[in-house]
């Protein structure tokens, strides 16, 4: 059984023009350094089409890099064993990405609870509430990164939790979309 949170339209797929990167477990282990390098690569790849305008190039590179880095860091931080797959595509007006990894049952349940909370209201209001709550309690795992992307960057998300495999890992697909300037006008 699969469970969907967020916008169902995003979970359909990234289309035909998808670039796929696989981050494998291995002797180097997946670390924050790999998150930054991978997100920088994806951001540069997308931003190159805007190189005629320094401002557009910098804005797109920053926005795509921030989004991608947040998703890959979450996949690394909360993953069960296994590779992480990053898929990215860009259309005339949107950057779309899908990050796939495995999580254990407890992580899936905690994340589903968090998603129920952060997708239930206005992202800007929820962001302020979470910042205030974190300052008062020092709690973590609050979804601040996702809320910031939703509130300040206009990112849209969908999450699909699959059925557990033979190792009791649950596949998690995180879909995201963020606007990019349309160059066809």
């Amino acid at each position: 059984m699969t469970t969907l949170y967020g916008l169902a339209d995003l979970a359909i797929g990234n289309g035909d023009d998808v670039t796929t990167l696989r981050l494998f477990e291995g002797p180097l282990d997946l670390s924050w350094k790999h998150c930054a390098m991978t997100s920088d690569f994806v951001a540069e790849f997308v931003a190159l089409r805007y190189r005629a305008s320094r401002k557009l190039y910098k804005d797109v590179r920053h926005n795509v890099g921030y989004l991608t880095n947040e998703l890959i860091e979450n996949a690394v931080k909360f993953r069960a064993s296994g590779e992480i797959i990053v898929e990215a595509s860009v259309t005339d007006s949107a950057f779309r990405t899908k990050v796939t990894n495995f999580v254990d049952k407890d992580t899936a349940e905690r994340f589903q609870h968090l998603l129920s909370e952060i997708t239930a209201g206005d992202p800007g209001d929820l962001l302020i509430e979470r910042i205030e709550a974190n300052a008062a309690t020092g709690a973590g795992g609050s979804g601040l990164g996702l809320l910031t992307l939703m509130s300040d960057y206009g990112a849209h998300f969908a999450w699909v939790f699959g059925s557990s495999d033979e190792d009791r890992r649950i596949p998690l697909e995180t879909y995201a979309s963020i606007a990019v300037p349309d160059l066809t006008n």
Side-chain angles (χ1 to χ4, degrees):
M1 181 176 107
T2 60
T3 305
L4 170 71
Y5 291 82
L7 300 173
D9 291 350
L10 286 179
I12 294 171
N14 286 333
D16 295 332
D17 299 325
V18 176
T19 300
T20 302
L21 302 168
R22 292 182 186 272
L23 305 176
F24 293 100
E25 272 189 316
L28 295 177
D29 201 18
L30 291 173
S31 67
W32 300 124
K33 178 176 76 173
H34 295 104
C35 299
M37 288 184 340
T38 304
S39 62
D40 283 348
F41 174 79
V42 172
E44 183 68 22
F45 179 77
V46 173
L48 280 176
R49 65 193 295 194
Y50 300 96
R51 66 185 173 269
S53 165
R54 181 171 170 80
K55 181 180 178 355
L56 283 180
Y57 168 83
K58 287 175 68 175
D59 287 348
V60 169
R61 191 174 192 296
H62 168 77
N63 295 350
V64 168
Y66 181 61
L67 172 68
T68 306
N69 192 63
E70 182 69 24
L71 298 182
I72 297 171
E73 280 185 357
N74 285 347
V76 168
K77 184 176 179 181
F78 299 111
R79 72 183 161 85
S81 63
E83 67 187 15
I84 295 171
I85 301 171
V86 179
E87 298 177 61
S89 66
V90 65
T91 64
D92 292 337
S93 61
F95 167 74
R96 294 178 66 152
T97 188
K98 177 174 97 172
V99 176
T100 306
N101 62 295
F102 290 96
V103 294
D104 63 35
K105 183 179 178 189
D106 290 340
T107 300
E109 288 173 357
R110 283 192 314 271
F111 194 39
Q112 288 172 341
H113 177 72
L114 175 68
L115 293 175
S116 295
E117 293 175 358
I118 69 171
T119 58
D122 177 77
D125 293 340
L126 291 169
L127 178 61
I128 292 168
E129 288 173 22
R130 293 289 172 148
I131 290 170
E132 290 171 350
N134 280 5
T137 65
S142 61
L144 284 178
L146 296 174
L147 285 169
T148 299
L149 284 161
M150 292 162 63
S151 173
D152 298 352
Y153 292 79
H156 299 282
F157 292 99
W159 295 269
V160 177
F161 293 82
S163 300
S164 62
D165 66 9
E166 64 277 354
D167 295 328
R168 302 177 53 92
R169 300 176 311 164
I170 297 170
L172 170 60
E173 297 175 342
T174 302
Y175 296 83
S177 174
I178 194 167
V180 294
D182 187 347
L183 293 175
T184 61
N185 292 332

